[in-house]
């Protein structure tokens, strides 16, 4: 989840520099590449987030159905 948040932050920065309305980032071709990079980083962020949530849900489900788990259910 920390990786997902970090990638999301950097994706936002890349998207900000890749917008056509900003003056930072160079030519339109460079801005298009920056926007494409931002999209890829956002997809990676989503995959990291989905992986983290799935692993946590698997852990909770496994502990809930384990008859030897002593903690409160």
């Amino acid at each position: 989840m920390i990786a997902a948040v970090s990638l999301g932050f950097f994706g936002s920065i890349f998207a900000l520099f890749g917008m056509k309305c900003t003056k930072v980032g160079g030519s339109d071709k460079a801005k298009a590449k920056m926007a494409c990079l931002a999209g890829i980083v956002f997809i990676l962020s989503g995959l990291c987030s989905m992986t983290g949530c799935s692993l946590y849900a698997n852990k909770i489900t496994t502990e809930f159905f384990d008859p030897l788990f002593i903690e409160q259910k």
Side-chain angles (χ1 to χ4, degrees):
M1 291 302 290
I2 294 170
V5 171
S6 299
L7 285 172
F9 173 74
F10 288 118
S12 298
I13 298 299
F14 291 145
L16 180 69
F17 289 137
M19 286 197 249
K20 288 185 179 181
C21 62
T22 59
K23 304 231 183 260
V24 181
S27 66
D28 284 341
K29 189 173 182 180
K31 286 182 181 262
K33 288 181 182 179
M34 188 77 70
C36 185
L37 177 67
I40 292 170
V41 171
F42 278 134
I43 290 171
L44 287 175
S45 173
L47 288 174
C48 287
S49 176
M50 196 168 35
T51 303
C53 290
S54 296
L55 289 174
Y56 185 70
N58 183 31
K59 178 185 172 207
I60 295 296
T61 306
T62 304
E63 287 178 356
F64 181 77
F65 289 115
D66 186 13
L68 301 177
F69 189 68
I70 301 171
E71 299 292 323
Q72 180 180 1
K73 290 186 180 181

